């Protein structure tokens, strides 16, 4: 049976803005309070999805979340009509209003951890939504994420959905951004690598000094347990705390894998050698390419500003691999020179394609943040909600939908505007029909 790796990108929501909400994410802090363009952001994301579809990849779409999150604002004590809730939050707790308006669900690499059926003990595809406890604005996502995942992967013959882990820092889970799967073919059992930033129950172990470690080992272990993975095919590795302190808030900012390629910076992991040896041993005798980037080639600072590793490595129909990179990689001479050289080396990576996802990049979200990978066989792919699978027709429909519903610009003061709430709900209501996902939002229930 044929097997695929599908990428499910998050549509950027109508309230996309720059609020500086993510301590430890350099771009988010740098661009705080800039004027955003929700329309351009959504169109940039759609163009990337369409381009991958045109390259022969299976491309899916996830709906954004309901924002402003009136439910959370009410839960936090802002009362009255929806308009009053917004106005009170604006006056009394502007940071809370910003958080409840974030379009952060666009970064679907943080939506969930996914284990393909070849790796799980019941031969189903397993999903665990990430609880994203480390950032308040992101902790608002998991419940709706679970609803959306269930509406896209509805068939319980093929798909198993778990509840997100307990909402506490001890089980802080950031999903696929800290999870890489290596395999020979997508349909064969692979090695799942879980990267964590700290130990929840052992204060003796190293931690970053400046910025938070978002993911715990205990969370990663829980996900591996839930998914029924074999111990001999799972590797847990700690992120180097020093790189977290330099702005590597997720492992996918410093390493990325695809099939038999692990592309990583030499400073990415603690105890790199032991880690790589374990990966090699668990992967077995087949061909495995470790592509290590040394600090002399590209510094950690250049990785963080260009998102060299927040790239997607995809396998094209001819078996060659391509890197999907943000424009920032093309515009950084050292990174560009590295990539120009890489495609001529003896590795499967033979092409680099640059994309403008700048609206997302300004919040620290590169091409790889925008997608959740789901490896599937043909039967599983057929069981996916086909309305969420990219096609020329869906691209046209979604582009028209964005042009109709989205604002050209948005700034903090706009978040109190009750019209924005009305527009966003109208847009999402319409979208649930386009994607045929049912009533996944609270305002629809
Ligand atoms: O969680 N930024 C996101 C970026 C997520 C990137 N994802 C991956 N690396 N996979 C975050 O830090 C910024 C929102 C703001 O500041 O307005 C934000 O949430």
């Amino acid at each position: 049976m044929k097997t695929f790796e599908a990428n499910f990108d998050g549509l950027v929501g109508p309230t996309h803005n720059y609020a500086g909400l993510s301590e430890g994410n350099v771009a988010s802090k740098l661009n705080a309070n800039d004027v955003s363009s929700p329309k351009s952001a959504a169109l940039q994301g759609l163009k990337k999805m369409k381009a991958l579809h045109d390259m022969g990849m299976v491309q899916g779409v996830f709906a954004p979340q309901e924002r402003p999150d009136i439910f959370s604002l009410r839960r936090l004590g802002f009362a009255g009509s929806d308009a009053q809730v917004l106005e009170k939050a604006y006056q009394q707790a502007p940071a809370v209003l910003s958080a409840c308006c974030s379009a952060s669900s666009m970064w679907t690499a943080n939506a969930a951890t996914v284990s393909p059926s070849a790796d799980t003990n019941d031969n189903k595809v397993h999903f665990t939504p990430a609880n994203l406890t480390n950032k308040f604005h992101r902790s608002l996502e998991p419940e709706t994420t679970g609803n959306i995942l269930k509406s896209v992967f509805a068939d319980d013959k093929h798909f198993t959905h778990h509840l997100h882990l307990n909402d506490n820092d001890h089980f802080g889970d950031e999903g696929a951004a800290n999870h890489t799967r290596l395999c020979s073919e997508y349909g064969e059992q692979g090695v799942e690598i879980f990267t964590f930033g700290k130990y929840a129950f052992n204060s003796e172990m190293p931690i970053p000094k400046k910025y938070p470690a978002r993911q715990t080992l205990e969370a990663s272990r829980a996900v591996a347990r839930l998914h029924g993975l074999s111990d001999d095919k799972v590797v847990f590795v700690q992120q180097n705390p020093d790189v977290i302190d330099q702005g590597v808030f997720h492992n996918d900012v410093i390493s990325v894998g695809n099939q038999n390629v692990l592309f990583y910076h030499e400073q990415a992991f603690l105890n790199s050698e032991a880690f790589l040896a374990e990966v090699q041993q668990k992967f077995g005798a087949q061909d495995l390419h470790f592509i290590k980037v040394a600090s002399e080639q590209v510094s950690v600072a250049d990785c963080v500003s260009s998102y060299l590793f927040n790239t997607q490595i995809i396998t094209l129909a001819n078996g060659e691999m391509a890197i999907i990179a943000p424009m920032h990689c093309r515009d950084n001479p050292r990174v560009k020179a590295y990539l120009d050289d890489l495609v001529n080396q003896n590795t499967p990576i033979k092409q680099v394609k640059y994309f403008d996802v700048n609206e997302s990049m300004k919040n620290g979200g590169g091409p790889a943040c925008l997608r959740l990978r789901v490896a599937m066989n043909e039967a599983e792919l057929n069981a996916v909600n086909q309305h969420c699978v990219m096609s020329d027709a869906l691209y046209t429909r979604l582009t028209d939908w964005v042009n109709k519903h989205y604002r050209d610009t948005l700034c903090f003061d706009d978040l109190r505007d009750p019209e924005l709430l009305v527009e966003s709900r109208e847009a999402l209501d319409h979208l649930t029909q386009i994607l045929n996902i049912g009533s996944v939002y609270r305002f629809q229930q």
Side-chain angles (χ1 to χ4, degrees):
M1 203 179 330
K2 266 177 96 176
T3 53
F4 316 82
E5 184 177 77
N7 287 288
F8 281 80
D9 281 41
L11 268 171
V12 179
T15 60
H16 160 65
N17 71 97
Y18 301 119
L21 298 171
S22 278
E23 185 67 22
N25 169 342
V26 178
S28 152
K29 285 286 171 200
L30 208 64
N31 297 301
N33 300 320
D34 271 13
V35 176
S36 65
S37 174
K39 187 178 282 178
S40 310
L43 294 176
Q44 285 171 358
L46 276 168
K47 281 196 182 127
K48 174 168 92 74
M49 296 186 223
K50 175 67 160 59
L52 266 80
H53 164 72
D54 290 343
M55 289 160 80
M57 306 299 294
V58 181
Q59 177 68 54
V61 186
F62 285 149
Q65 303 222 346
E66 168 185 349
R67 299 287 181 273
D69 184 346
I70 293 289
F71 173 85
S72 290
L73 289 169
R74 288 187 188 282
R75 183 176 170 188
L76 295 171
F78 301 104
S81 65
D82 287 348
Q84 286 166 334
V85 167
L86 291 169
E87 186 57 29
K88 284 179 189 165
Y90 176 84
Q91 297 294 345
Q92 297 167 28
V96 177
L97 177 63
S98 289
C100 290
C101 290
S102 177
S104 55
S105 68
M106 69 170 90
W107 300 296
T108 53
N110 306 114
T113 306
V114 184
S115 295
S117 56
D119 297 354
T120 61
N121 58 6
D122 62 358
N123 298 114
K124 292 188 192 183
V125 186
H126 283 242
F127 298 84
T128 300
N131 60 20
L132 301 168
T133 52
N134 191 258
K135 299 281 176 271
F136 170 63
H137 68 294
R138 304 224 59 184
S139 73
L140 307 175
E141 297 174 34
E143 197 178 317
T144 303
T145 298
N147 292 344
I148 292 172
L149 288 171
K150 284 178 197 155
S151 68
V152 179
F153 305 96
D155 186 344
D156 60 10
K157 191 166 143 237
H158 295 289
F159 307 117
T160 299
H161 296 272
H162 303 281
L163 182 63
H164 57 276
L165 302 182
N166 301 60
D167 298 281
N168 181 277
D169 192 52
H170 282 73
F171 287 95
D173 177 21
E174 299 280 319
N178 289 328
H179 176 250
T180 310
R181 176 174 185 261
L182 302 177
C183 59
S184 300
E185 296 296 331
Y186 291 119
E188 283 171 23
Q189 188 176 23
V191 174
E192 298 201 16
I193 301 170
F194 289 82
T195 312
F196 61 92
K198 63 178 176 188
Y199 292 74
F201 296 98
N202 187 343
S203 54
E204 309 285 294
M205 302 306 280
I207 47 165
K209 296 183 180 68
K210 187 172 167 197
Y211 291 140
R214 297 195 194 185
Q215 176 110 19
T216 66
L217 168 65
E218 288 74 5
S220 301
R221 283 199 186 281
V223 173
R225 254 189 319 268
L226 286 166
H227 291 196
L229 306 178
S230 321
D231 289 346
D232 58 351
K233 289 289 182 184
V234 175
V235 179
F236 299 97
V237 62
Q238 185 168 2
Q239 265 188 286
N240 178 355
D242 293 344
V243 299
I244 295 181
D245 280 339
Q246 292 170 70
V248 181
F249 56 99
H250 289 136
N251 178 62
D252 68 1
V253 175
I254 197 97
S255 120
V256 54
N258 176 50
Q259 287 191 316
N260 61 348
V261 169
L262 183 66
F263 180 42
Y264 66 100
H265 192 274
E266 66 173 349
Q267 294 188 50
F269 308 106
L270 262 190
N271 310 319
S272 258
E273 276 180 28
F275 160 62
L276 296 171
E278 186 179 352
V279 171
Q280 180 71 72
Q281 184 259 320
K282 291 186 169 172
F283 194 80
Q286 309 105 309
D287 210 16
L288 180 56
H289 297 265
F290 290 127
I291 307 178
K292 173 168 93 172
V293 179
S295 302
E296 302 89 71
Q297 293 172 287
V298 183
S299 66
V300 172
D302 277 340
C303 295
V304 171
S305 64
S306 70
Y307 267 34
L308 168 62
F309 293 98
N310 200 264
T311 45
Q312 296 175 243
I313 306 179
I314 58 171
T315 305
L316 303 169
N318 65 4
E320 287 180 3
M321 295 191 192
I323 285 193
I324 306 298
M327 289 299 181
H328 291 57
C329 289
R330 194 198 58 182
D331 297 343
N332 177 317
R334 293 168 298 279
V335 173
K336 173 76 167 51
Y338 175 84
L339 286 170
D340 286 347
D341 183 56
L342 175 66
V343 292
N344 293 314
Q345 298 300 319
N346 183 25
T347 83
I349 300 170
K350 293 296 166 215
Q351 289 182 37
V352 182
K353 293 191 182 290
Y354 297 98
F355 285 84
D356 179 2
V357 286
N358 199 38
E359 283 285 327
S360 168
M361 285 290 284
K362 286 181 67 178
N363 256 338
C369 299
L370 288 161
R371 63 93 166 92
L372 182 68
R373 296 189 274 187
V374 187
M376 286 176 285
N377 59 36
E378 239 166 347
E380 290 156 354
L381 181 58
N382 288 336
V384 169
N385 175 344
Q386 297 299 310
H387 293 84
C388 299
V389 178
M390 187 51 74
S391 62
D392 293 353
L394 182 60
Y395 175 72
T396 306
R397 251 188 122 181
L398 291 175
T399 303
D400 292 348
W401 171 80
V402 170
N403 282 321
K404 175 166 180 225
H405 292 285
Y406 280 50
R407 294 193 181 186
D408 288 310
T409 59
L410 204 67
C411 64
F412 172 67
D413 274 353
D414 298 325
L415 303 180
R416 77 209 282 200
D417 178 1
E419 274 308 303
L420 180 67
L421 175 71
V422 173
E423 288 164 29
S424 303
R425 285 182 172 173
E426 266 172 24
L428 295 184
D429 208 32
H430 184 185
L431 183 67
T432 53
Q433 292 159 36
I434 298 175
L435 299 179
N436 196 25
I437 52 175
S439 303
V440 290
Y441 301 117
R442 279 205 175 90
F443 76 86
Q444 295 176 310
Q445 287 156 14

Coordinates of all heavy atoms in Angstrom, one line a residue, residues 17-22 25 28 104 107 109-110 137-138 177 214 249-250 252 310 363-364 369, ligand 1:
N17 N -2.2 39.0 15.2 CA -1.6 40.3 15.6 C -0.2 40.1 16.3 O 0.1 38.9 16.6 CB -2.6 41.1 16.5 CG -2.7 40.4 17.9 OD1 -2.1 40.8 18.8 ND2 -3.5 39.4 18.0
Y18 N 0.5 41.2 16.6 CA 1.8 41.1 17.2 C 1.7 41.6 18.6 O 1.7 42.8 18.8 CB 2.8 41.8 16.4 CG 2.9 41.3 15.0 CD1 2.7 42.2 13.9 CD2 3.3 40.0 14.7 CE1 2.8 41.7 12.6 CE2 3.4 39.5 13.4 CZ 3.1 40.4 12.4 OH 3.2 39.9 11.1
A19 N 1.6 40.7 19.6 CA 1.4 41.1 21.0 C 2.6 40.9 21.9 O 2.5 41.2 23.1 CB 0.2 40.4 21.5
G20 N 3.6 40.3 21.4 CA 4.8 40.1 22.2 C 4.6 39.2 23.4 O 5.1 39.4 24.5
L21 N 3.8 38.1 23.1 CA 3.3 37.3 24.2 C 4.3 36.2 24.6 O 4.1 35.5 25.6 CB 2.0 36.6 23.8 CG 0.8 37.5 23.5 CD1 -0.3 36.8 22.9 CD2 0.4 38.2 24.8
S22 N 5.3 35.9 23.8 CA 6.1 34.7 24.0 C 7.5 35.0 24.5 O 8.5 35.1 23.7 CB 6.2 33.9 22.7 OG 5.0 33.1 22.6
N25 N 10.9 33.7 22.8 CA 10.8 33.7 21.4 C 11.2 35.1 20.9 O 10.4 36.1 21.1 CB 9.3 33.3 21.0 CG 8.9 33.5 19.6 OD1 9.6 34.2 18.8 ND2 7.8 32.9 19.2
S28 N 8.9 37.2 18.5 CA 7.7 37.7 19.1 C 7.9 38.9 19.9 O 7.1 39.9 19.8 CB 7.1 36.6 20.0 OG 6.3 37.0 21.0
S104 N -2.6 32.3 17.6 CA -1.4 31.4 17.6 C -1.7 29.9 17.2 O -0.8 29.2 17.0 CB -0.8 31.4 19.1 OG -1.9 31.1 20.0
W107 N 0.1 27.9 14.3 CA 1.3 27.1 14.3 C 1.0 25.7 14.7 O 1.1 25.2 15.8 CB 2.4 27.8 15.2 CG 2.7 29.1 14.7 CD1 3.3 29.5 13.5 CD2 2.4 30.4 15.4 NE1 3.4 30.8 13.4 CE2 2.9 31.4 14.5 CE3 1.8 30.7 16.6 CZ2 2.7 32.8 14.8 CZ3 1.7 32.1 16.9 CH2 2.1 33.1 16.0
A109 N 2.4 22.9 14.2 CA 3.4 22.0 14.7 C 3.2 21.9 16.3 O 3.7 21.0 16.9 CB 4.8 22.6 14.4
N110 N 2.5 22.9 16.9 CA 2.2 22.8 18.3 C 0.8 22.3 18.6 O 0.4 22.4 19.7 CB 2.4 24.2 18.9 CG 3.8 24.8 18.7 OD1 3.9 25.8 18.0 ND2 4.8 24.1 19.2
H137 N -1.6 32.4 26.4 CA -2.4 32.5 25.2 C -2.5 31.2 24.4 O -3.4 30.9 23.8 CB -1.8 33.6 24.3 CG -0.5 33.4 23.7 ND1 0.7 33.3 24.4 CD2 -0.1 33.2 22.4 CE1 1.7 33.1 23.6 NE2 1.3 33.0 22.4
R138 N -1.4 30.4 24.6 CA -1.4 29.1 23.9 C -2.2 28.0 24.7 O -2.7 27.0 24.1 CB 0.0 28.7 23.6 CG 0.8 29.8 22.8 CD 1.6 29.2 21.6 NE 0.8 28.5 20.7 CZ 1.2 27.9 19.6 NH1 2.5 27.9 19.4 NH2 0.5 27.2 18.8
A177 N 6.4 20.1 17.6 CA 7.6 21.0 17.5 C 8.8 20.4 18.2 O 9.9 20.7 18.0 CB 7.3 22.4 18.1
R214 N 9.9 24.8 27.8 CA 8.5 24.6 27.7 C 8.1 23.2 27.9 O 6.9 22.9 28.3 CB 8.0 25.1 26.4 CG 8.1 26.6 26.1 CD 7.3 27.1 25.0 NE 7.6 28.4 24.5 CZ 6.9 29.0 23.5 NH1 5.8 28.4 23.0 NH2 7.2 30.1 23.0
F249 N 13.2 28.2 21.4 CA 12.1 27.9 22.4 C 11.5 26.5 22.1 O 10.8 25.9 22.9 CB 11.1 29.0 22.5 CG 10.5 29.4 21.1 CD1 9.3 28.9 20.7 CD2 11.2 30.2 20.3 CE1 8.7 29.2 19.5 CE2 10.7 30.5 19.0 CZ 9.4 30.0 18.6
H250 N 11.6 26.1 20.8 CA 11.2 24.7 20.4 C 12.3 24.1 19.7 O 13.1 24.7 19.0 CB 10.0 24.8 19.5 CG 8.7 25.2 20.1 ND1 7.9 26.1 19.5 CD2 8.1 24.8 21.2 CE1 6.8 26.3 20.2 NE2 6.9 25.5 21.3
D252 N 12.3 22.5 17.0 CA 12.2 22.7 15.6 C 12.8 24.0 15.1 O 12.8 24.3 13.9 CB 10.8 22.4 15.0 CG 9.8 23.5 15.4 OD1 10.1 24.5 16.1 OD2 8.6 23.4 15.0
N310 N 13.9 25.7 10.9 CA 12.4 25.6 10.9 C 11.9 25.5 9.5 O 10.9 26.2 9.1 CB 11.9 26.9 11.6 CG 10.4 26.6 12.1 OD1 9.5 26.9 11.5 ND2 10.3 25.9 13.2
N363 N 6.2 36.6 14.3 CA 5.8 36.1 15.6 C 6.6 34.8 16.0 O 6.2 34.1 16.9 CB 4.3 35.8 15.6 CG 3.5 36.8 16.3 OD1 4.1 37.5 17.2 ND2 2.2 36.9 16.0
G364 N 7.7 34.6 15.2 CA 8.5 33.4 15.5 C 8.0 32.1 14.9 O 8.3 31.0 15.5
C369 N 6.7 25.5 11.6 CA 5.8 25.8 12.7 C 4.3 25.7 12.1 O 3.4 25.4 12.9 CB 5.9 27.2 13.3 SG 7.5 27.5 14.0
Ligands
LIG1 O1 4.5 29.6 20.7 N1 4.5 32.6 18.8 C1 4.5 31.2 18.9 C2 5.4 30.6 17.7 C3 5.3 29.1 17.6 C4 6.3 28.5 16.7 N2 6.1 27.2 16.6 C5 7.1 26.3 16.4 N3 8.4 26.5 16.7 N4 6.8 25.1 16.1 C6 5.0 30.7 20.2 O2 5.9 31.3 20.8 C7 3.7 34.8 19.5 C8 2.4 35.5 19.6 C9 2.6 37.0 19.9 O3 3.6 37.4 20.5 O4 1.6 37.7 19.5 C10 3.6 33.3 19.5 O5 2.7 32.8 20.2

